[in-house]
Amino acid sequence: MAEGDFLEMATTALGIGAPPRHVALIMDGNGRWAAARGLPRFEGHRRGVEALRRAVRAAIDLKISYLTVYSFSAENWSRPREEVQSLLGLLHRFIRNDLAELHANNVRVRVIGARSDLAPEIGDLLREAEQVTQGNSGLTLVVAFNYGARQEIATAVRALAEMVAKGEIAPESIDVESISAHLDTADIPDPDLIIRTSGEQRLSNFLLWQAAYAEFVFLPILWPDFDRAAMIAAIQEYAHRDRRFGRVEAPRRSAKTAS
Ligand code: IPE
Ligand code: IPE
Ligand code: MG
């Protein structure tokens, strides 16, 4: 039996909730992984790309619908120039080398984060990844690049304010739905599970709005060591959580999944 089917059966049998539809990963700890081995930080990032490939494969096998990966934050530009250059180079190589395989695996790539201030070649590359895979119906891989949640919310609020100024909408019409609809993630469901590696327990400006009811799992391992077993362990912990969404009890599972 495939591991994904097994996991789904196990969680269903125990009545501990459905597997997560959307998993988000804060891929942290590349620098510390390299430092522990006396290697340059770049080597940690390079090995981090291999861990990302394992994470994508695991997400496909576990039948997760959306996998969001935090690859570069709006604040990461303040790292040393050489490190920023090496991270941009790795993104470039990841898309160049892996796009065909992602496409063959029916993966749809989406990119969130600010595009306007990116170098044209990076912008073109991200657009190409989205365009080539837009018709795919398998895993949606959401790449958060040059992403900052506060900036994303500010941009959405500015767009709504402009609509008010033009008389297109009334201020009273601004609500949770209209703000959500103006975020980069407009058509992506909120994350169910956010996993951060490296032992740090913070969001670092990731999906602040969308994480309102996400479950968090903080793993002590460093990102280059992330693998399928770590993903399964995090999902098993998630499966034991009692998600209440402000209610007294968790919403009842549907008859179909509870049978
Ligand atoms: C995550 O690893 C990669 C990015 C933030 C781009 P780090 O580079 O943050 O590694 P640590 O946290 O310094 O170990
Ligand atoms: C968060 O990690 C960003 C990514 C994983 C891309 P950081 O390493 O940049 O976060 P802080 O600085 O430790 O909060
Ligand atoms: Mg870090």
Side-chain angles (χ1 to χ4, degrees):
M1 189 192 305
E3 212 161 14
D5 297 341
F6 173 75
L7 192 71
E8 202 174 320
M9 244 183 62
T11 53
T12 304
L14 292 169
I16 47 178
R21 181 177 181 208
H22 182 173
V23 174
L25 297 169
I26 303 178
M27 310 186 289
D28 195 22
N30 295 349
R32 277 164 280 178
W33 185 94
R37 288 159 182 78
L39 298 168
R41 290 178 62 86
F42 169 76
E43 192 53 26
H45 296 314
R46 201 183 64 75
R47 294 291 290 261
V49 176
E50 290 172 18
L52 170 60
R53 292 193 181 105
R54 289 194 292 274
V56 172
R57 270 196 294 274
I60 293 171
D61 294 346
L62 297 170
K63 298 192 173 70
I64 289 162
S65 303
Y66 295 84
L67 181 72
T68 297
V69 296
Y70 202 4
S71 68
F72 192 87
S73 76
E75 288 75 27
N76 286 149
W77 294 108
S78 52
R79 293 189 177 201
R81 198 183 130 79
E82 317 79 72
E83 179 161 356
V84 169
Q85 287 308 320
S86 69
L87 286 166
L88 295 180
L90 280 176
L91 174 80
H92 199 276
R93 251 174 292 158
F94 174 70
I95 295 182
R96 275 277 154 271
N97 296 339
D98 290 45
L99 186 59
E101 193 184 331
L102 292 169
H103 189 38
N105 283 319
N106 199 21
V107 173
R108 182 168 55 136
V109 177
R110 284 281 313 271
V111 181
I112 58 172
R115 303 279 184 103
S116 51
D117 48 349
L118 293 180
E121 62 270 22
I122 297 281
D124 290 348
L125 199 66
L126 299 176
R127 222 177 345 270
E128 181 190 335
E130 289 186 310
Q131 277 168 3
V132 167
T133 62
Q134 66 186 351
N136 291 342
S137 57
L139 172 73
T140 298
L141 175 64
V142 184
V143 179
F145 180 78
N146 189 24
Y147 177 84
R150 286 177 162 180
Q151 293 84 339
E152 179 192 36
I153 294 167
T155 302
V157 169
R158 198 179 317 125
L160 289 164
E162 280 166 9
M163 291 166 80
V164 170
K166 288 185 193 149
E168 293 168 3
I169 59 167
E172 311 80 72
S173 75
I174 296 177
D175 57 12
V176 168
E177 283 71 32
S178 61
I179 293 175
S180 293
H182 283 83
L183 299 175
D184 294 355
T185 52
D187 52 348
I188 298 169
D190 287 343
D192 299 296
L193 168 62
I194 297 180
I195 302 169
R196 182 169 187 150
T197 55
S198 89
E200 307 301 344
Q201 303 193 358
R202 54 178 174 261
L203 274 175
S204 302
N205 204 12
F206 186 50
L207 301 178
L208 300 182
W209 175 276
Q210 299 86 343
Y213 273 101
E215 295 294 329
F216 294 88
V217 171
F218 298 104
L219 299 176
I221 60 168
L222 301 172
W223 176 253
D225 292 326
F226 188 87
D227 59 8
R228 169 191 300 264
M231 178 90 109
I232 290 176
I235 291 175
Q236 280 169 337
E237 186 174 333
Y238 165 87
H240 285 94
R241 300 279 175 86
D242 180 18
R243 299 187 79 192
R244 296 186 176 187
F245 300 96
R247 303 177 176 104
V248 175
E249 287 176 6
R252 283 189 63 79
R253 294 163 58 68
S254 75
K256 183 170 159 278
T257 52
S259 64

